[in-house]
Amino acid sequence: MTIQRSEKDLFLEISVYLTGFDEAELQGTGMVNTYYQAVLSNNTQPDVAYFFEMVATILQQNEGNEDALNKAISIHLMPASAYSGMAMNIINMWYTGNWGQNVVSGQAYIQGLIWDAAEAHPPGAKQPGYGSWAIPPL
Amino acid sequence: MKTDNYDVVVVGSGIAGAVIAKTLTNAGKKVLLLEAGLQAGIALDPEESYKTYQGYLETFYEAGAKVPNSPYPDLKDAPSINILDIVKLQKSNTPSTVGYLVQKGPVPFASDCFRGPGGTTLHWLGTTLRMLPNDFKMKTVYNQNVDWPLTYDELKPYYEMAELEIGVSGDVEEQKYPDIPKDFFGKDYVFPMEKIPQSYLDKEIAKKTDKLKVTLNRKEYELSCISTPQGRNSTPNEDYKYGSIVWDPSKKKLALKTQPKTYNPDGSLWDPYTGQRCEGNASCVPICPVQAKYNALKTLKKATLENLEVITQAVASKINTDDHSGEVTGIEYKIYKHKGSPEYTTATATGTIYVLAASAIENAKILLASNVGNTSDQVGRNLMDHLVLLTWGLTKEKIYPYRGPGSTTNIPTFRDGAFRSEHAAWISPLDNWGWSWPTFSPGSDVTNALNEGVFGKALRNRMNDLVTRQFLLHFEVEQSPDAGNRVTIDPQYLDAIKNYRPVISYGVSEYNLKAFEASKTVSDQIFAANGIEDHTVYNPVTDADYVTYKGQGYTFRGAGHIVGTHRMGFTKDDSVVDKNQRSWEHPNLYLVGCGNMPTLGTSNPTLTMTALTFQAAENILKQLEQ
Ligand SMILES: Cc1cc2nc3c(=O)[nH]c(=O)nc-3n(C[C@H](O)[C@H](O)[C@H](O)COP(=O)(O)OP(=O)(O)OC[C@H]3O[C@@H](n4cnc5c(N)ncnc54)[C@H](O)[C@@H]3O)c2cc1C
Ligand code: SF4
C-alpha cells in the first residue's frame, strides 16, 4: 500500500537528499514551512506540480538505495533546465536563506545551513561566546 | 537646553563630533550639535536606542548584500557613500554618477562612510593602532610626502585619552613595531582591557609565519605576528588606573583622572551589562549586535546632557563669515521634515566657536561650498585611504575562519623601514572572515558547487572542506598625499535638497604601485612557507580598482579610511588648519576628523584622529577661557 504523501512532506524528504542534512537538522531550523511556501511563491504552479510528481516518483523507485536515488536526482532534478532550476534554488535556500538573489527573511539568513557545514555561525547571530574563536569549534 | 548663545556649534555626531561635544559639555560649555541623520538614531535612552538598533539589525539580516552600510538608513536628504556604487570607470571623459559620489577617476575612490547619528563607527571594525614616530616626519626621514607640525611625543598623552574613550583591549608588551623607541608607550602603561584572544587561525598561521625570513629587493626581513589592539570589550585590566578625562581650568589642560575602582567596560546603550565582552558575533562590520564594539553614541551618552542641544535631520550646508574680521558668524543648515522628503527649511546656527566634524569628504565639501578657509588651495586635496591589496588561498589543514572579530593579529614588519624612501609602507592584518570580502564566500561557494551539479552529502562535505580552509591576508598600503586626489564641487551635481555632491578625482601613484608589487612578493613567501594554495585573482574586466605596474595587474580595495582633505600644516600657504586644528584664516573655526591628517601612516586612522580631537577640544577650551 502506498501512502499519499503531501507536497510538503515530499519537500522535506527530498530536501534531506538535496542538502545532505538529516531530517532532524532540517526541522531544527524551524524553516520547513517558510521554505515550502517560498517554493510555491517563487515558481509557477505547473513547475511545482511536475517537480513534486517527479520527486514522488524517484523517491519511490529508489527507496532504500541511496546511490540510485542520488543518480536519479542528478539526472532529473539538478540540471538548470529541470523545473526552472528549482532543485538548485531549494538547496541554495537551505544553505544561504536566499531564493536567487533575494533574502527569504531575516530568520532564513540566520538559519542558513552553510554556517553549520562550515563549522561556523551566521555573522551577527548565534554568537558562540567570548574567546570561542581562539580554539577549534566544539 | 535651548539658548541663543551657544559656546560651540558642532557639525556631526561621529566620534570626532561626539568627543568634542562630550569634552566641552563636561567642562560646562553650552554646545549645539547639528546632525544630518534621522532623529531616531540619536536616541540614548534604553528603550528608544534598543528599538532603533534592533531595527538596524533586522535590516542587516534581510539585506541581500551585507555591505558596511546595509543596516543603516540611506537618506536622499543626506546620502551616504555606498561601496555598492563603486563601479569600473569608462575611459571616456564622463564621470560615473552612480550613487552619491561623482567619480572622475582615473580609478574610483573605494571607501564609504555612514551619515547618521554615531557616524561611521557604527560599522567600523575597531582596530586601534597608534601611528609610529617616523610617520610624523616622512619628509625629513625619507624625503617622501610631508612632515606633520606635531610629533609623536606631543600626541602621546592624547593617545592615552583616546584609548580610554574608545575602550581599547590589547597587550602593550606584545606591541613591538619596527624602529620604535623604548618609551613608545609610557612606563608601566597598559590598555584598559586585556587583549582580545587571538583566533585559532592566527595561531596556526603564526606557527610558520612568526620569525619567517622573507626577502624583498635583495634585503632580508624577519616577520613577526602580534596581537592587534582594538576597540571592543574584553576582560578589564586590573592594572589600568584611569577613569575619565577632565578639563583642568587652572592648568588649561585636559588630563586623565585616575580612579580607585577597576575599569568597567562600557556596555550597550540600552543595558550596561549587555556587550561588556565581545561575544564573537563575527559581524563587527557592519553591526555588532551587542555593542561590545565601541561606537560614538557611547561617547555622546557621556556628554553632560543639560549643556547639550542636538538638532537632527539638520544638514549643514554653508558657513557664513564676516568679511572684515574673518570670524565665522553662523552655519546655515537645511532641516528636512522626514526621511526622503525633498522639502526643507533653512536656519542658521550661531555660537562663539564653530567645529566641523562631518568627516573628511563632507568637511571639505562644506568649506568649498562656502568658499571659506581655502587661501592655501588645499581644501579637498590630498584625499587618502589605505589601499588594501588582498591575497587569499587555501590552507592544508582546517583553520576554521568566519569566527571572532574581523582581525586579531597583524604583521607589523613593513610598517616602517628604509624602504620607505622607495615605496610605501604597509601593515598586514590576518583576516578571520575567510574569503567573504573578495569572493562573497561562502554564498558564492555554494553557487559554484551547485553549478557543477554538486548536491547532498557531497555538497555538505565540499563546503566543510573548502570554507574551513579559507585564508585571507591584507596588505594595507599607506597612500601618499597627492594634490590631484581631491574633492571638488560642481553646480551640475546636487543632491535632493540642493546640497553639493562631492566630485572625486582619484588615482594611485607609482610610490604606492611599487608597494603592491612588494607586498605580493611577501605574500608569495608567506603562502609558500605555510603551504597555502594561492587562489588570488585580480580581474581586469570586473574589478573597479584594477591597476597595473610593470605589466602585472593588481586590484585594491578601500579600507574605509577617508583622510587628508583639509590638512594640518606649518603655514597658511601649505595647509588648511594649523597645529591647533584651527583654520588659518578664521579664528573661531576648528576642523576635526581624519581630514586634518597630513599623512596616513600604516595604522587605521581613528585612534590618531581621536587623540587629535582631544587636543582640539583642549585648544577650544583654552580659546573660550581666554
Ligand atoms: C568598513 C569600515 C571599517 C573601518 N574600520 C576602522 C578600523 O578598524 N579602525 C579605524 O581606525 N578606523 C576604521 N574605519 C574608519 C572610521 O570609521 C572613521 O575614521 C571614523 O568613524 C570617522 O569618524 P568621524 O567622526 O570623523 O566621521 P563619521 O563617523 O563619518 O561621522 C560624521 C558625522 O557627521 C554627520 N554629517 C555628515 N555631513 C553632515 C552635514 N552636512 N551636516 C550635519 N551632519 C553631517 C554624519 O551624519 C555623521 O554623524 C573604518 C571605516 C569603514 C567604512
Ligand atoms: S565579534 Fe561580535 S560581539 Fe565581538 S565586536 Fe564583533 S560583532 Fe561584536
Side-chain angles (χ1 to χ4, degrees), chain B residues 11-17 34-37 68 112-121 123-128 285 314-317 357-359 362 366 559-561 592-594 604-607 609:
Chain B
V11 178
S13 67
I15 182 168
L34 301 175
E35 167 52 52
D112 66 3
C113 58
F114 169 54
R115 285 172 90 195
T120 311
T121 50
H123 73 211
W124 77 324
L125 180 57
T127 299
T128 50
V285 180
V315 190
S317 23
S359 103
E362 292 305 315
I366 297 169
H561 304 161
V592 294
C594 297
N604 317 43
T606 311
L607 182 78
M609 178 268 272

Side-chain angles (χ1 to χ4, degrees), chain B residues 337-542:
Chain B
K337 282 209 179 59
H338 49 82
K339 186 181 169 187
S341 126
E343 285 157 43
Y344 62 88
T345 50
T346 304
T348 304
T350 56
T352 307
I353 286 180
Y354 297 84
V355 182
L356 291 192
S359 103
I361 290 179
E362 292 305 315
N363 274 359
K365 198 193 80 180
I366 297 169
L367 292 169
L368 292 170
S370 321
N371 200 11
V372 156
N374 197 17
T375 357
S376 63
D377 186 33
Q378 292 298 314
V379 172
R381 294 188 185 274
N382 312 301
L383 174 64
M384 293 174 271
D385 190 0
H386 282 115
L387 307 168
V388 186
L389 194 80
L390 300 177
T391 58
W392 58 99
L394 286 178
T395 52
K396 286 210 180 83
E397 306 291 333
K398 293 180 177 181
I399 52 170
Y400 304 107
Y402 298 94
R403 302 183 313 138
S407 180
T408 36
T409 294
N410 72 83
I411 304 171
T413 315
F414 294 97
R415 291 190 62 188
D416 194 23
F419 60 82
R420 286 176 105 176
S421 0
E422 302 301 321
H423 64 74
W426 68 79
I427 188 167
S428 287
L430 312 193
D431 195 295
N432 286 333
W433 296 343
W435 299 352
S436 54
W437 194 1
T439 73
F440 307 106
S441 286
S444 59
D445 301 317
V446 176
T447 311
N448 293 340
L450 288 175
N451 287 335
E452 290 173 35
V454 182
F455 66 93
K457 287 188 183 134
L459 175 64
R460 185 175 183 171
N461 291 338
R462 156 103 70 118
M463 290 305 109
N464 182 262
D465 176 60
L466 177 72
V467 181
T468 53
R469 294 187 296 126
Q470 291 181 347
F471 176 63
L472 178 68
L473 190 57
H474 296 205
F475 294 83
E476 307 221 349
V477 173
E478 172 185 26
Q479 184 164 31
S480 27
D482 176 346
N485 287 349
R486 62 188 297 203
V487 182
T488 54
I489 53 171
D490 180 336
Q492 264 192 83
Y493 302 115
L494 302 177
D495 67 18
I497 58 168
K498 302 197 172 59
N499 285 316
Y500 286 100
R501 286 165 61 188
V503 179
I504 309 284
S505 305
Y506 192 65
V508 180
S509 70
E510 187 171 349
Y511 183 71
N512 294 122
L513 291 171
K514 278 186 194 163
F516 290 168
E517 182 191 41
S519 29
K520 189 64 173 66
T521 313
V522 172
S523 176
D524 290 345
Q525 295 173 68
I526 294 173
F527 279 24
N530 284 278
I532 294 169
E533 187 183 293
D534 200 333
H535 284 246
T536 310
V537 180
Y538 302 132
N539 189 321
V541 182
T542 54

Side-chain angles (χ1 to χ4, degrees), chain A residues 8 11 27 29-40 94:
Chain A
K8 203 166 89 189
F11 170 69
Q27 289 283 15
T29 64
M31 299 306 289
V32 178
N33 263 330
T34 312
Y35 287 169
Y36 174 62
Q37 290 306 326
V39 170
L40 298 187
W94 278 112

Side-chain angles (χ1 to χ4, degrees), chain A residues 12 16 21-30:
Chain A
L12 179 60
V16 170
F21 283 78
D22 65 32
E23 197 175 313
E25 289 171 310
L26 297 184
Q27 289 283 15
T29 64

